[in-house]
Amino acid sequence: MAISDRGSAPPASGRRSLALLTVLSAQFMLAMDLLIVVVALPRIQTDLAFSPAALTWVLNAFGLAFGGLLLLGGRLGDMLGQVRTFRAGIAVFVLASLVGGLAETSGILVAARVFQGIGAALAGPSVLALVMAMSRNAAEQARGMSLFIAVSSVGASAGLILGGVLTEYLSWRWSLLINVPVGSMVFAVIGRLVGETHPKEAKLDVVGAITATLGSVALVYGFISAAENGWSSAPTILSFAAGARLFVAFVRSAGRHLQPLLDLDLLRDRPRLGGLAVMALIVGMHFSVLFTLVQYLQQVLGYTPLIAGLACLPLTATVFGISQFVPRLIGRFGTRALLVMGSLLVSVSLLGFALLGDAGSYFPAVLIPLFVHAVGIALVFAPGTVAIMEGVPVEHAGAASGLLQMDQQIGGALGIAVITSIYTLAVEPGRYVSGLPAAFGVGAAIASVAAIIAWRAFRPRTSTRLVTT
């Protein structure tokens, strides 16, 4: 994979590893933050007197702000400089984490989660752009991309593990406060390690920024509402209708503006569109597995938050380990083969989760499908990321990275909404596992659709230059 004409010289060799570690530490922190509070939700509800309905906004407030502002955050990085935008986002994220960790009311915590999402949307798209800008040659570019993909892939499940440890031994507040020392370190040193990229002089597409942001928020909220209120509820229908109108306005604005928020030519590439579709569907199934599995471990198997988090460790370790070899596999077998195989493995894993029962045990009922699932998503995330970012000009690197992460965010919201809706329709009162066969059966079908899309969107033996040496 290549991003042409990098804007800034990479740091000297002695500082490059530290710079890469710093940037990836920030990515790991941001990737964890959506789900790090999941295992702590019961204790948050007790301490801050959340109602059951309001408790979901501890997750949704972050997701709405993050998903809604990613395109704008990516474009600002291209225009203002990636380091400057990255540091601004980290600063907002750290301050919001501090406020949230010290919150004494539910309203303050939800507001803090909104600002965490805003900070993440500013910083997140710049991470990948900086990883590529620091690379001196194709081999370093491949290594940086591989590490970025690995860190991003394991972030969500690692958030469950760390959240369980912090909640069990300290307090749920440390699920947020942990970001303060890590983020502060990143903010302090990144400007000294990485030179600013060359900002692109451009006039911001204000109409595009407004319509993209509001459209993304409406779309994400529509999926959230579908999970909570049903697909035929007024909030769900109105949200999807508003999102559709706003995205139509966004496309029209992009077509008229000389320097749009997102270059629509990026969406005319068939493999890129295929990669976006596959990533959205598989990320959706991945998030639905994490969301549902943690509840199964605690409600049915009786695990504590700590043990439930640690139960996801095999997933995290497997994804990270396999991700190191995927660049070579892409060079040998091609993007198409890996995306198809990975999607099919995710489908098989979901069929395995559909068999979970009241008398189940961690091994083999949970561990075997969890391992299959880990292999599947590892084979999807790396080639999917490469397909989306392949050939993106440097002046659009931030916007393309924002598009990639928005695709994942919307995919995650979609997956949870679909699986939760199916589960709610099928579940019998008092029997948590009764809804799992229908929910994960539908999930397996969705993952199979992703495999079909990958087969049709890519030419046989589609390879890239993301090959390690």
Side-chain angles (χ1 to χ4, degrees), residues 200-331:
K200 179 184 179 182
E201 294 184 4
K203 183 178 180 181
L204 180 65
D205 179 7
V206 176
V207 174
I210 292 173
T211 54
T213 299
L214 295 180
S216 299
V217 168
L219 186 59
V220 173
Y221 180 76
F223 290 128
I224 292 171
S225 176
E228 294 181 351
N229 307 311
W231 293 90
S232 60
S233 66
T236 303
I237 294 173
L238 290 175
S239 295
F240 285 141
R245 290 289 300 272
L246 287 163
F247 276 120
V248 169
F250 167 71
V251 171
R252 289 176 178 171
S253 175
R256 293 192 299 262
H257 204 280
L258 294 177
Q259 296 169 325
L261 189 73
L262 177 68
D263 186 355
L264 296 182
D265 285 340
L266 295 175
L267 300 179
R268 295 189 175 98
D269 181 77
R270 183 174 177 178
R272 182 172 292 118
L273 282 177
L276 287 167
V278 172
M279 286 284 279
L281 294 175
I282 296 302
V283 168
M285 296 307 96
H286 179 50
F287 271 46
S288 67
V289 165
L290 294 177
F291 184 79
T292 307
L293 186 59
V294 169
Q295 297 181 67
Y296 173 82
L297 293 173
Q298 295 187 71
Q299 295 187 32
V300 179
L301 299 188
Y303 287 6
T304 64
L306 171 61
I307 301 302
L310 291 176
C312 296
L313 184 58
L315 169 67
T316 305
T318 301
V319 171
F320 186 83
I322 293 178
S323 295
Q324 305 307 302
F325 300 98
V326 170
R328 293 188 182 94
L329 296 177
I330 294 175

Side-chain angles (χ1 to χ4, degrees), residues 82-294:
Q82 302 294 351
V83 174
R84 184 178 295 112
T85 307
F86 176 78
R87 295 186 78 205
I90 292 296
V92 173
F93 185 82
V94 167
L95 289 174
S97 297
L98 179 61
V99 172
L102 300 177
E104 295 295 335
T105 68
S106 59
I108 291 176
L109 178 57
V110 170
R113 292 287 285 171
V114 170
F115 280 94
Q116 277 189 303
I118 293 172
L122 289 174
S126 293
V127 172
L128 182 54
L130 287 174
V131 168
M132 305 312 295
M134 288 188 288
S135 303
R136 296 171 298 185
N137 51 51
E140 287 190 354
Q141 194 176 82
R143 179 63 175 165
M145 174 66 80
S146 178
L147 289 172
F148 170 84
I149 292 167
V151 166
S152 302
S153 300
V154 305
S157 53
L160 294 175
I161 298 170
L162 182 58
V165 172
L166 294 173
T167 301
E168 187 78 13
Y169 288 110
L170 295 173
S171 164
W172 65 263
R173 296 181 182 277
W174 279 98
S175 297
L176 302 175
L177 294 175
I178 190 65
N179 296 323
V180 176
V182 176
S184 298
M185 179 276 295
V186 170
F187 180 86
V189 304
I190 191 64
R192 301 178 183 180
L193 295 174
V194 183
E196 183 60 271
T197 59
H198 296 317
K200 179 184 179 182
E201 294 184 4
K203 183 178 180 181
L204 180 65
D205 179 7
V206 176
V207 174
I210 292 173
T211 54
T213 299
L214 295 180
S216 299
V217 168
L219 186 59
V220 173
Y221 180 76
F223 290 128
I224 292 171
S225 176
E228 294 181 351
N229 307 311
W231 293 90
S232 60
S233 66
T236 303
I237 294 173
L238 290 175
S239 295
F240 285 141
R245 290 289 300 272
L246 287 163
F247 276 120
V248 169
F250 167 71
V251 171
R252 289 176 178 171
S253 175
R256 293 192 299 262
H257 204 280
L258 294 177
Q259 296 169 325
L261 189 73
L262 177 68
D263 186 355
L264 296 182
D265 285 340
L266 295 175
L267 300 179
R268 295 189 175 98
D269 181 77
R270 183 174 177 178
R272 182 172 292 118
L273 282 177
L276 287 167
V278 172
M279 286 284 279
L281 294 175
I282 296 302
V283 168
M285 296 307 96
H286 179 50
F287 271 46
S288 67
V289 165
L290 294 177
F291 184 79
T292 307
L293 186 59
V294 169

